[in-house]
Amino acid sequence: MERVCGVVDTASERLITQREYVHMSQILFCAAGQLIEPRPCDIPGADTFNGNIFHSARWNHTVNLEGKKVVVIGNGC
């Protein structure tokens, strides 16, 4: 993203990229990538847990979850 310009008369935002693409919208979410790196599991006892532990951002599709009890922890649950 190169710049964002407010357009007062239409209450919209203009998103202008390096490719000169202009998108009119009522809402603009800025995803700056602050949460791009998943935090490692630091729960006490995780190192001795016998099951699979993985972050949702690094989902292990080889693990068969059918019939298993699954716990999801975190603010992205």
Side-chain angles (χ1 to χ4, degrees):
M1 178 178 8
E2 187 177 315
R3 68 183 181 267
V4 176
C5 307
V7 181
V8 178
D9 59 341
T10 62
S12 297
E13 297 289 329
R14 291 178 58 203
L15 173 63
I16 302 172
T17 66
Q18 291 178 342
R19 294 182 181 170
E20 295 301 321
Y21 174 77
V22 177
H23 181 78
M24 300 294 288
S25 66
Q26 294 179 343
I27 300 171
L28 174 66
F29 290 96
C30 181
Q34 296 163 324
L35 302 176
I36 196 166
E37 287 299 320
R39 199 171 134 198
C41 180
D42 59 357
I43 298 172
D47 55 341
T48 59
F49 179 68
N50 290 328
N52 295 292
I53 297 177
F54 48 90
H55 196 285
S56 60
R58 306 282 190 263
W59 194 264
N60 185 348
H61 293 277
T62 64
V63 175
N64 183 3
L65 301 177
E66 187 174 338
K68 295 184 180 178
K69 295 179 181 178
V70 177
V71 176
V72 181
I73 301 172
N75 69 355
C77 297

Coordinates of all heavy atoms in Angstrom, one line a residue:
M1 N 0.8 -1.2 0.0 CA 0.0 0.0 0.0 C 0.9 1.2 0.0 O 1.8 1.3 0.8 CB -0.9 0.0 1.2 CG -1.8 1.2 1.3 SD -3.0 1.3 2.7 CE -2.6 -0.1 3.7
E2 N 0.6 2.1 -0.9 CA 1.4 3.3 -1.0 C 0.8 4.5 -0.1 O 1.5 5.2 0.6 CB 1.4 3.7 -2.5 CG 2.3 4.9 -2.7 CD 2.4 5.2 -4.2 OE1 2.5 4.2 -5.0 OE2 2.3 6.4 -4.6
R3 N -0.5 4.6 -0.2 CA -1.2 5.7 0.6 C -2.7 5.4 0.7 O -3.3 4.7 -0.1 CB -0.9 7.0 0.0 CG -1.6 7.3 -1.3 CD -1.2 8.7 -1.9 NE -1.8 9.0 -3.1 CZ -1.3 8.7 -4.3 NH1 -0.1 8.2 -4.4 NH2 -2.0 9.0 -5.4
V4 N -3.3 6.0 1.7 CA -4.7 6.0 1.9 C -5.2 7.4 1.9 O -4.6 8.2 2.7 CB -5.1 5.2 3.1 CG1 -6.6 5.3 3.4 CG2 -4.6 3.8 3.1
C5 N -6.2 7.8 1.2 CA -6.7 9.1 1.1 C -8.2 9.1 1.5 O -9.0 8.4 1.0 CB -6.6 9.7 -0.3 SG -5.0 9.6 -1.0
G6 N -8.5 10.0 2.5 CA -9.9 10.2 2.9 C -10.7 11.0 1.9 O -10.1 12.0 1.4
V7 N -11.8 10.6 1.5 CA -12.7 11.4 0.6 C -13.9 11.9 1.4 O -14.8 11.1 1.8 CB -13.2 10.5 -0.6 CG1 -14.0 11.3 -1.5 CG2 -12.0 9.9 -1.3
V8 N -13.8 13.1 1.8 CA -14.8 13.7 2.8 C -16.2 13.6 2.3 O -17.2 13.3 3.0 CB -14.4 15.1 3.2 CG1 -15.4 15.7 4.2 CG2 -13.0 15.1 3.8
D9 N -16.4 14.0 1.0 CA -17.8 14.1 0.5 C -18.5 12.8 0.4 O -19.8 12.7 0.4 CB -17.8 14.9 -0.8 CG -17.0 14.2 -1.9 OD1 -16.2 13.4 -1.6 OD2 -17.3 14.5 -3.1
T10 N -17.8 11.6 0.3 CA -18.5 10.4 0.2 C -18.3 9.5 1.5 O -18.8 8.4 1.5 CB -18.0 9.6 -1.0 OG1 -16.6 9.3 -0.8 CG2 -18.3 10.3 -2.3
A11 N -17.6 10.0 2.4 CA -17.3 9.3 3.7 C -16.7 7.9 3.4 O -17.0 6.9 4.0 CB -18.6 9.1 4.5
S12 N -15.8 7.9 2.4 CA -15.1 6.6 2.0 C -13.6 6.8 2.1 O -13.1 7.9 2.3 CB -15.5 6.3 0.6 OG -16.9 6.0 0.5
E13 N -12.9 5.7 2.0 CA -11.5 5.8 1.9 C -11.0 5.3 0.6 O -11.6 4.4 0.0 CB -10.9 4.8 3.0 CG -11.2 5.3 4.4 CD -10.5 6.5 4.8 OE1 -9.4 6.8 4.3 OE2 -11.0 7.3 5.6
R14 N -10.0 5.9 0.0 CA -9.4 5.4 -1.2 C -8.1 4.7 -0.9 O -7.2 5.3 -0.3 CB -9.2 6.6 -2.2 CG -10.4 7.2 -2.7 CD -10.1 8.4 -3.6 NE -9.3 8.0 -4.7 CZ -8.5 8.9 -5.4 NH1 -8.5 10.2 -5.1 NH2 -7.8 8.5 -6.4
L15 N -7.9 3.5 -1.4 CA -6.7 2.8 -1.2 C -6.0 2.7 -2.5 O -6.5 2.3 -3.5 CB -7.0 1.3 -0.8 CG -5.8 0.3 -0.7 CD1 -4.8 0.8 0.3 CD2 -6.3 -1.0 -0.4
I16 N -4.8 3.3 -2.6 CA -4.0 3.4 -3.8 C -2.8 2.6 -3.7 O -2.0 2.8 -2.8 CB -3.7 4.9 -4.2 CG1 -5.0 5.7 -4.2 CG2 -2.9 5.0 -5.5 CD1 -4.8 7.2 -4.3
T17 N -2.6 1.6 -4.6 CA -1.4 0.8 -4.5 C -0.4 1.2 -5.6 O -0.7 2.1 -6.4 CB -1.8 -0.7 -4.8 OG1 -2.3 -0.8 -6.1 CG2 -2.9 -1.2 -3.8
Q18 N 0.7 0.5 -5.6 CA 1.7 0.9 -6.6 C 1.3 0.6 -8.0 O 1.8 1.1 -9.0 CB 3.0 0.1 -6.3 CG 3.7 0.6 -5.0 CD 5.0 -0.1 -4.7 OE1 5.2 -1.2 -5.2 NE2 5.8 0.4 -3.9
R19 N 0.3 -0.3 -8.1 CA -0.2 -0.6 -9.5 C -1.4 0.3 -9.9 O -2.1 0.0 -10.8 CB -0.7 -2.1 -9.4 CG 0.4 -3.1 -9.3 CD -0.2 -4.5 -9.3 NE 0.9 -5.4 -9.1 CZ 0.7 -6.7 -8.9 NH1 -0.5 -7.2 -8.9 NH2 1.7 -7.5 -8.7
E20 N -1.5 1.4 -9.2 CA -2.6 2.4 -9.5 C -4.0 1.8 -9.4 O -4.9 2.2 -10.1 CB -2.3 3.0 -10.8 CG -1.0 3.8 -10.9 CD -1.0 5.0 -9.9 OE1 -2.0 5.7 -9.7 OE2 0.1 5.2 -9.3
Y21 N -4.2 0.8 -8.5 CA -5.5 0.3 -8.3 C -6.2 1.2 -7.2 O -5.6 1.4 -6.2 CB -5.4 -1.2 -7.8 CG -6.7 -1.8 -7.4 CD1 -7.6 -2.2 -8.4 CD2 -7.0 -1.9 -6.1 CE1 -8.8 -2.8 -8.0 CE2 -8.3 -2.5 -5.7 CZ -9.1 -2.9 -6.7 OH -10.3 -3.4 -6.3
V22 N -7.4 1.6 -7.5 CA -8.1 2.5 -6.5 C -9.3 1.7 -6.1 O -10.1 1.2 -6.9 CB -8.5 3.8 -7.1 CG1 -9.3 4.6 -6.1 CG2 -7.3 4.6 -7.6
H23 N -9.5 1.5 -4.8 CA -10.7 0.8 -4.2 C -11.4 1.7 -3.3 O -10.8 2.3 -2.4 CB -10.2 -0.4 -3.5 CG -11.3 -1.2 -2.9 ND1 -12.1 -2.1 -3.7 CD2 -11.8 -1.3 -1.7 CE1 -13.0 -2.6 -3.0 NE2 -12.9 -2.2 -1.7
M24 N -12.7 1.9 -3.5 CA -13.5 2.8 -2.7 C -14.2 1.9 -1.6 O -14.8 0.8 -2.0 CB -14.6 3.5 -3.5 CG -14.0 4.4 -4.5 SD -13.1 5.8 -3.8 CE -14.4 6.8 -3.2
S25 N -14.1 2.2 -0.4 CA -14.8 1.4 0.7 C -15.2 2.3 1.8 O -14.8 3.4 2.0 CB -13.8 0.4 1.2 OG -12.7 1.0 1.8
Q26 N -16.1 1.8 2.6 CA -16.6 2.5 3.8 C -15.7 2.2 5.0 O -15.6 2.9 6.0 CB -18.0 2.1 4.1 CG -19.0 2.6 3.0 CD -20.4 2.2 3.4 OE1 -20.6 1.3 4.2 NE2 -21.3 2.8 2.7
I27 N -15.0 1.0 5.0 CA -14.1 0.6 6.1 C -12.8 0.2 5.6 O -12.7 -0.5 4.5 CB -14.8 -0.5 6.9 CG1 -16.1 -0.1 7.4 CG2 -13.9 -1.0 8.0 CD1 -16.9 -1.3 8.0
L28 N -11.7 0.5 6.3 CA -10.4 0.1 5.9 C -9.7 -0.5 7.1 O -9.6 0.1 8.2 CB -9.5 1.3 5.4 CG -8.1 1.0 5.1 CD1 -8.0 0.0 3.9 CD2 -7.3 2.2 4.8
F29 N -9.3 -1.8 7.0 CA -8.6 -2.5 8.1 C -7.1 -2.5 7.7 O -6.8 -2.9 6.6 CB -9.1 -3.9 8.3 CG -10.4 -4.0 8.9 CD1 -11.5 -4.2 8.0 CD2 -10.6 -3.9 10.2 CE1 -12.8 -4.3 8.6 CE2 -11.9 -4.0 10.8 CZ -13.0 -4.2 9.9
C30 N -6.3 -2.0 8.6 CA -4.8 -2.0 8.3 C -4.3 -3.3 9.0 O -4.3 -3.4 10.2 CB -4.2 -0.8 8.9 SG -2.4 -0.7 8.6
A31 N -3.8 -4.2 8.2 CA -3.1 -5.4 8.7 C -1.6 -5.3 8.5 O -1.1 -5.7 7.5 CB -3.7 -6.6 8.0
A32 N -1.0 -4.7 9.5 CA 0.4 -4.3 9.4 C 1.3 -5.5 9.7 O 2.6 -5.4 9.5 CB 0.8 -3.2 10.4
G33 N 0.8 -6.7 10.1 CA 1.6 -7.9 10.3 C 2.2 -8.0 11.6 O 3.2 -8.7 11.8
Q34 N 1.7 -7.3 12.6 CA 2.3 -7.4 14.0 C 2.1 -8.8 14.6 O 2.9 -9.2 15.4 CB 1.6 -6.4 14.9 CG 1.8 -5.0 14.5 CD 0.9 -4.0 15.1 OE1 -0.3 -4.3 15.3 NE2 1.3 -2.8 15.4
L35 N 1.2 -9.5 14.1 CA 0.9 -10.9 14.7 C 1.3 -12.0 13.7 O 0.8 -13.1 13.7 CB -0.5 -11.0 15.1 CG -1.0 -10.0 16.1 CD1 -2.5 -10.2 16.3 CD2 -0.3 -10.1 17.4
I36 N 2.3 -11.7 12.8 CA 2.6 -12.6 11.8 C 3.4 -13.8 12.3 O 3.3 -14.9 11.7 CB 3.4 -11.9 10.6 CG1 3.4 -12.7 9.4 CG2 4.8 -11.5 11.1 CD1 3.9 -12.0 8.2
E37 N 4.1 -13.7 13.3 CA 4.9 -14.8 13.9 C 4.1 -15.4 15.1 O 3.9 -14.7 16.1 CB 6.3 -14.3 14.4 CG 7.2 -14.0 13.2 CD 7.5 -15.3 12.3 OE1 7.6 -16.4 12.9 OE2 7.5 -15.1 11.1
P38 N 3.7 -16.7 15.0 CA 3.0 -17.3 16.1 C 3.9 -17.4 17.3 O 5.1 -17.7 17.2 CB 2.6 -18.6 15.6 CG 3.4 -18.9 14.3 CD 3.9 -17.5 13.9
R39 N 3.3 -17.3 18.5 CA 4.1 -17.4 19.7 C 4.2 -18.8 20.1 O 3.2 -19.6 20.1 CB 3.3 -16.6 20.8 CG 4.1 -16.3 22.0 CD 3.4 -15.3 22.9 NE 3.5 -15.8 24.2 CZ 2.8 -15.5 25.2 NH1 1.7 -14.7 25.0 NH2 3.0 -16.0 26.4
P40 N 5.4 -19.3 20.5 CA 5.5 -20.7 20.9 C 4.7 -21.0 22.2 O 4.5 -20.1 23.0 CB 7.0 -20.9 21.1 CG 7.6 -19.5 21.1 CD 6.6 -18.6 20.6
C41 N 4.3 -22.2 22.3 CA 3.6 -22.7 23.5 C 4.5 -22.7 24.7 O 5.5 -23.4 24.8 CB 3.0 -24.1 23.3 SG 2.0 -24.7 24.7
D42 N 4.1 -21.9 25.7 CA 4.9 -21.8 27.0 C 4.1 -22.2 28.2 O 4.4 -21.8 29.3 CB 5.5 -20.4 27.1 CG 4.5 -19.3 27.2 OD1 3.3 -19.6 27.1 OD2 4.8 -18.1 27.4
I43 N 3.1 -23.0 28.0 CA 2.2 -23.5 29.1 C 3.0 -24.5 29.9 O 3.6 -25.5 29.3 CB 0.9 -24.1 28.5 CG1 0.1 -23.1 27.7 CG2 0.1 -24.7 29.6 CD1 -1.1 -23.6 27.0
P44 N 3.1 -24.4 31.2 CA 3.8 -25.4 32.0 C 3.2 -26.8 31.7 O 2.0 -27.0 31.7 CB 3.5 -25.0 33.4 CG 3.2 -23.5 33.3 CD 2.5 -23.3 32.0
G45 N 4.1 -27.7 31.5 CA 3.7 -29.1 31.2 C 3.6 -29.5 29.8 O 3.5 -30.6 29.4
A46 N 3.7 -28.5 28.9 CA 3.6 -28.7 27.5 C 4.7 -29.6 27.0 O 4.5 -30.4 26.1 CB 3.5 -27.4 26.7
D47 N 5.8 -29.5 27.6 CA 7.0 -30.3 27.1 C 6.9 -31.8 27.5 O 7.5 -32.6 26.9 CB 8.3 -29.7 27.7 CG 8.3 -29.6 29.2 OD1 7.2 -29.6 29.8 OD2 9.4 -29.4 29.8
T48 N 6.0 -32.1 28.4 CA 5.8 -33.5 28.8 C 4.5 -34.1 28.3 O 4.1 -35.2 28.5 CB 5.9 -33.7 30.3 OG1 4.8 -32.9 30.9 CG2 7.2 -33.3 30.8
F49 N 3.7 -33.2 27.5 CA 2.4 -33.7 27.0 C 2.7 -34.7 25.9 O 3.5 -34.5 25.0 CB 1.6 -32.4 26.4 CG 0.3 -32.8 25.8 CD1 -0.7 -33.2 26.6 CD2 0.1 -32.6 24.5 CE1 -2.0 -33.5 26.0 CE2 -1.1 -32.9 23.9 CZ -2.1 -33.4 24.7
N50 N 1.9 -35.8 25.9 CA 2.1 -36.9 24.9 C 1.4 -36.7 23.6 O 1.6 -37.4 22.6 CB 1.7 -38.2 25.5 CG 2.7 -38.7 26.6 OD1 3.8 -38.4 26.5 ND2 2.1 -39.3 27.6
G51 N 0.5 -35.7 23.5 CA -0.3 -35.5 22.3 C 0.4 -34.5 21.4 O 1.6 -34.1 21.5
N52 N -0.3 -34.1 20.3 CA 0.2 -33.2 19.4 C -0.1 -31.7 19.8 O -1.2 -31.4 20.3 CB -0.5 -33.4 18.0 CG -0.1 -34.7 17.4 OD1 1.0 -34.9 17.0 ND2 -1.1 -35.6 17.3
I53 N 0.9 -30.9 19.7 CA 0.7 -29.4 20.0 C 1.2 -28.7 18.7 O 2.3 -28.9 18.3 CB 1.5 -29.0 21.2 CG1 1.0 -29.7 22.4 CG2 1.4 -27.5 21.4 CD1 1.8 -29.4 23.7
F54 N 0.3 -27.8 18.2 CA 0.8 -27.0 17.1 C -0.1 -25.7 17.1 O -1.2 -25.7 17.5 CB 0.7 -27.7 15.8 CG -0.5 -28.5 15.4 CD1 -1.6 -27.9 14.8 CD2 -0.6 -29.8 15.8 CE1 -2.7 -28.6 14.5 CE2 -1.8 -30.5 15.5 CZ -2.8 -29.9 14.9
H55 N 0.5 -24.7 16.5 CA -0.2 -23.4 16.4 C -1.1 -23.4 15.2 O -0.8 -24.0 14.2 CB 0.9 -22.3 16.3 CG 0.4 -20.9 16.5 ND1 -0.4 -20.2 15.6 CD2 0.5 -20.1 17.6 CE1 -0.7 -19.0 16.1 NE2 -0.2 -18.9 17.3
S56 N -2.3 -22.7 15.3 CA -3.2 -22.7 14.2 C -2.6 -22.1 13.0 O -3.0 -22.4 11.8 CB -4.5 -21.9 14.6 OG -4.2 -20.6 15.0
A57 N -1.6 -21.2 13.1 CA -0.9 -20.6 12.0 C 0.0 -21.6 11.3 O 0.5 -21.4 10.2 CB -0.2 -19.4 12.4
R58 N 0.3 -22.7 12.0 CA 1.2 -23.7 11.5 C 0.5 -25.1 11.6 O 1.0 -26.0 12.1 CB 2.5 -23.8 12.3 CG 3.3 -22.5 12.4 CD 4.0 -22.2 11.1 NE 4.9 -21.1 11.3 CZ 4.7 -19.8 10.9 NH1 3.5 -19.6 10.4 NH2 5.5 -18.9 11.0
W59 N -0.7 -25.1 11.1 CA -1.6 -26.2 11.3 C -1.0 -27.5 10.7 O -0.5 -27.5 9.6 CB -3.0 -26.0 10.6 CG -4.0 -27.0 11.0 CD1 -4.3 -28.1 10.3 CD2 -4.8 -27.0 12.2 NE1 -5.3 -28.8 11.0 CE2 -5.6 -28.1 12.2 CE3 -4.8 -26.1 13.3 CZ2 -6.5 -28.4 13.2 CZ3 -5.7 -26.4 14.3 CH2 -6.5 -27.5 14.2
N60 N -1.0 -28.6 11.4 CA -0.5 -29.8 11.0 C -1.6 -30.7 10.4 O -2.4 -31.3 11.1 CB 0.2 -30.6 12.1 CG 0.9 -31.9 11.7 OD1 0.7 -32.3 10.6 ND2 1.7 -32.4 12.5
H61 N -1.8 -30.7 9.1 CA -2.9 -31.4 8.4 C -2.7 -32.9 8.4 O -3.6 -33.6 8.0 CB -3.0 -30.8 7.0 CG -3.5 -29.4 6.9 ND1 -4.8 -29.0 7.0 CD2 -2.8 -28.2 6.8 CE1 -4.9 -27.7 7.0 NE2 -3.7 -27.2 6.8
T62 N -1.6 -33.4 8.8 CA -1.4 -34.8 8.9 C -1.9 -35.4 10.1 O -2.1 -36.6 10.2 CB 0.1 -35.2 8.8 OG1 0.8 -34.7 9.9 CG2 0.7 -34.6 7.5
V63 N -2.3 -34.6 11.1 CA -2.8 -35.1 12.4 C -4.3 -35.4 12.2 O -5.1 -34.5 11.8 CB -2.6 -34.1 13.5 CG1 -3.3 -34.6 14.8 CG2 -1.1 -33.9 13.8
N64 N -4.7 -36.6 12.5 CA -6.1 -37.0 12.4 C -6.8 -36.7 13.7 O -6.5 -37.2 14.7 CB -6.3 -38.5 12.1 CG -7.7 -38.9 11.9 OD1 -8.6 -38.1 11.9 ND2 -7.9 -40.2 11.7
L65 N -7.7 -35.7 13.7 CA -8.4 -35.3 14.9 C -9.7 -36.0 15.2 O -10.4 -35.8 16.2 CB -8.7 -33.8 14.8 CG -7.5 -32.9 14.7 CD1 -7.9 -31.4 14.5 CD2 -6.5 -33.1 15.8
E66 N -10.1 -36.9 14.3 CA -11.4 -37.6 14.5 C -11.4 -38.5 15.7 O -10.4 -39.2 16.0 CB -11.6 -38.5 13.2 CG -13.0 -39.2 13.2 CD -13.3 -40.0 12.0 OE1 -12.6 -39.7 10.9 OE2 -14.1 -40.8 12.0
G67 N -12.4 -38.3 16.6 CA -12.5 -39.0 17.8 C -11.6 -38.5 18.9 O -11.6 -39.1 20.0
K68 N -10.9 -37.5 18.7 CA -10.0 -36.9 19.7 C -10.6 -35.7 20.4 O -11.4 -35.0 19.9 CB -8.6 -36.6 19.1 CG -7.9 -37.7 18.6 CD -6.5 -37.3 18.1 CE -5.8 -38.5 17.5 NZ -4.5 -38.2 17.0
K69 N -10.2 -35.5 21.7 CA -10.6 -34.3 22.4 C -9.5 -33.2 22.0 O -8.3 -33.4 22.1 CB -10.6 -34.5 23.9 CG -11.6 -35.5 24.3 CD -11.6 -35.7 25.8 CE -12.6 -36.7 26.2 NZ -12.6 -37.0 27.6
V70 N -10.0 -32.0 21.5 CA -9.2 -31.0 21.1 C -9.4 -29.7 21.9 O -10.5 -29.3 22.2 CB -9.4 -30.6 19.6 CG1 -8.6 -29.5 19.1 CG2 -9.2 -31.9 18.7
V71 N -8.3 -29.1 22.3 CA -8.4 -27.9 23.1 C -7.7 -26.7 22.3 O -6.6 -26.9 21.7 CB -7.6 -28.0 24.4 CG1 -7.6 -26.7 25.2 CG2 -8.2 -29.1 25.3
V72 N -8.5 -25.6 22.1 CA -7.9 -24.5 21.4 C -7.7 -23.4 22.5 O -8.7 -23.0 23.2 CB -8.9 -24.0 20.3 CG1 -8.4 -22.8 19.6 CG2 -9.2 -25.1 19.4
I73 N -6.5 -22.8 22.6 CA -6.2 -21.8 23.6 C -5.7 -20.6 22.9 O -4.9 -20.6 22.0 CB -5.1 -22.4 24.5 CG1 -5.5 -23.6 25.2 CG2 -4.7 -21.3 25.5 CD1 -4.4 -24.4 26.0
G74 N -6.2 -19.4 23.4 CA -5.7 -18.1 22.9 C -6.8 -17.2 22.5 O -8.0 -17.6 22.5
N75 N -6.4 -16.0 22.2 CA -7.4 -15.0 21.9 C -8.0 -15.1 20.5 O -8.9 -14.4 20.1 CB -6.9 -13.5 22.1 CG -5.9 -13.1 21.1 OD1 -5.4 -13.9 20.3 ND2 -5.4 -11.9 21.2
G76 N -7.4 -15.9 19.6 CA -7.9 -16.1 18.3 C -8.8 -17.3 18.2 O -9.2 -17.7 17.1
C77 N -9.2 -17.9 19.3 CA -10.1 -19.1 19.3 C -11.4 -18.8 18.7 O -12.2 -18.0 19.0 CB -10.3 -19.6 20.7 SG -8.8 -20.0 21.6

